[in-house]
Amino acid sequence: DIFEPSQDILTCYLKIGSVLIEMREFENAFKYLNKALVLCQQNFPGEWRILSRCLEKLALINIANGKYNESLSELNQALSLQNEKFQDGQTALTYCYIGKAYQNLGDYEKAEENYEKGLEILKSKYSEKNYLIGSQLMELSGLFKLKGDFEKAIEKCQAALQIFKANFEKSDLRFTKCVQEIKEM
């Protein structure tokens, strides 16, 4: 790859890697995301948003591959970049990913702590009916279900269901998942 480094190329690598993650082609996604990370670090170190996104996406690949400690390292790096600037929906998502890593490691207390931090940020930035809050509540519901606290799991799931009902005219996957989760508990 001989080219003049540009932010456009950096963004393309990031987007290609993100799409490949959705397609579950983790090996190819890793290659593109790693290129984006290196390009950003070498040529655009001030682009903290792109750098943190690269780290988050690499962490998702590690979570999918069962490398939870590696993912925590990447996510904490991303979080430190974000917290230095400001907290937004992306920061909340990073906390959610950290919660997922801890959940997979079996550390439910740290998982809950990070899910709650993400939820707190979302509630401070968005309307209480924002679908992102509903999604975070579903993550918490799943965690409480794993912990065997079905009362809290149902409570979080019902709260998410109300948010999804307020946001979507017809049933979508999120709505259906909430209803199914409540029935199962």
Side-chain angles (χ1 to χ4, degrees), residues 11-149:
T11 302
C12 286
Y13 283 160
L14 180 60
K15 287 184 180 186
I16 291 169
S18 298
V19 169
L20 289 169
I21 286 174
E22 294 299 319
M23 296 171 60
R24 305 193 65 74
E25 292 187 22
F26 300 128
E27 189 174 319
N28 287 329
F30 180 82
K31 290 175 188 174
Y32 280 98
L33 293 167
N34 202 45
K35 282 182 181 185
L37 182 68
V38 170
L39 182 64
C40 191
Q41 288 171 329
Q42 290 175 349
N43 298 287
F44 309 102
E47 287 295 325
W48 63 272
R49 285 183 188 267
I50 294 173
L51 188 56
S52 73
R53 293 289 295 174
C54 289
L55 290 164
E56 287 170 1
K57 296 296 182 178
L58 288 167
L60 288 176
I61 292 170
N62 281 328
I63 288 173
N65 289 325
K67 298 178 181 177
Y68 307 118
N69 288 318
E70 289 92 335
S71 70
L72 284 171
S73 174
E74 292 157 343
L75 290 166
N76 282 317
Q77 286 177 37
L79 192 59
S80 71
L81 290 168
Q82 294 166 14
N83 281 336
E84 288 174 8
K85 307 300 178 192
F86 66 92
Q87 293 185 344
D88 62 1
Q90 192 58 44
T91 308
L93 191 57
T94 303
Y95 278 117
C96 181
Y97 295 153
I98 291 171
K100 277 188 187 305
Y102 278 121
Q103 181 175 318
N104 284 304
L105 285 169
D107 191 337
Y108 297 148
E109 296 310 312
K110 284 187 179 177
E112 182 180 349
E113 178 183 315
N114 282 283
Y115 285 141
E116 288 289 352
K117 282 180 186 177
L119 185 59
E120 183 180 311
I121 292 168
L122 290 172
K123 285 181 174 180
S124 74
K125 299 291 181 185
Y126 302 107
S127 129
E128 66 184 45
K129 295 296 182 190
N130 187 288
Y131 75 94
L132 292 172
I133 293 172
S135 295
Q136 192 72 358
L137 288 167
M138 284 301 294
E139 294 293 341
L140 276 164
S141 175
L143 176 65
F144 286 124
K145 185 177 175 183
L146 275 175
K147 290 171 67 172
D149 189 342

Side-chain angles (χ1 to χ4, degrees), residues 131 161-175:
Y131 75 94
L161 181 60
Q162 294 307 311
I163 291 170
F164 295 147
K165 281 182 178 178
N167 280 281
F168 305 105
E169 288 181 20
K170 58 183 178 181
S171 295
D172 74 342
L173 182 61
R174 291 168 279 228
F175 180 86

